[in-house]
Amino acid sequence: MNVWKPHTGVDFGGNLGDDVPAMTGGVVTYVCEDKMLGKFVEISTNNVICRYCGLGSVDVNKGDSIDVGKKVCTIVAFPFKA
């Protein structure tokens, strides 16, 4: 990815170490670590893609099927460096 640009997504707050549940069921289509976004997970279903970034631990792997509410990852401080 390695591209910094505005997005049309939604940012949710939480506390360090909080679990992040899947917002939709589907298939994990992408897992990586990016220098700007930190650890990154993408879950796809039908015509919806949910992307999670700035993650601590990642509890899913590419190709995994996931249900709504299943733990995807934990929150860490956002990795952006100016």
Side-chain angles (χ1 to χ4, degrees), residues 22-35:
M23 293 179 59
T24 184
V27 175
V28 178
T29 51
Y30 200 64
V31 177
C32 73
E33 188 158 354
D34 180 87
K35 70 179 181 179

Side-chain angles (χ1 to χ4, degrees), residues 5 8 11 15 18 21 25 27 29 43 45-46 48 54 62 72 74 79:
K5 60 184 176 181
T8 57
D11 294 318
N15 295 310
D18 282 354
V27 175
T29 51
I43 299 173
T45 183
N46 299 328
V48 175
K62 184 176 179 180
V72 174
T74 57

Side-chain angles (χ1 to χ4, degrees), residues 20-22 24-28 41 43-44 52 59-60 63-72:
V20 177
T24 184
V27 175
V28 178
V41 172
I43 299 173
S44 300
Y52 306 79
D59 296 274
V60 296
D64 287 352
S65 290
I66 191 164
D67 294 323
V68 172
K70 180 181 175 188
K71 180 180 174 186
V72 174

Side-chain angles (χ1 to χ4, degrees), residues 14-18 75-78:
N15 295 310
L16 296 178
D18 282 354
I75 297 174
V76 296
F78 193 75

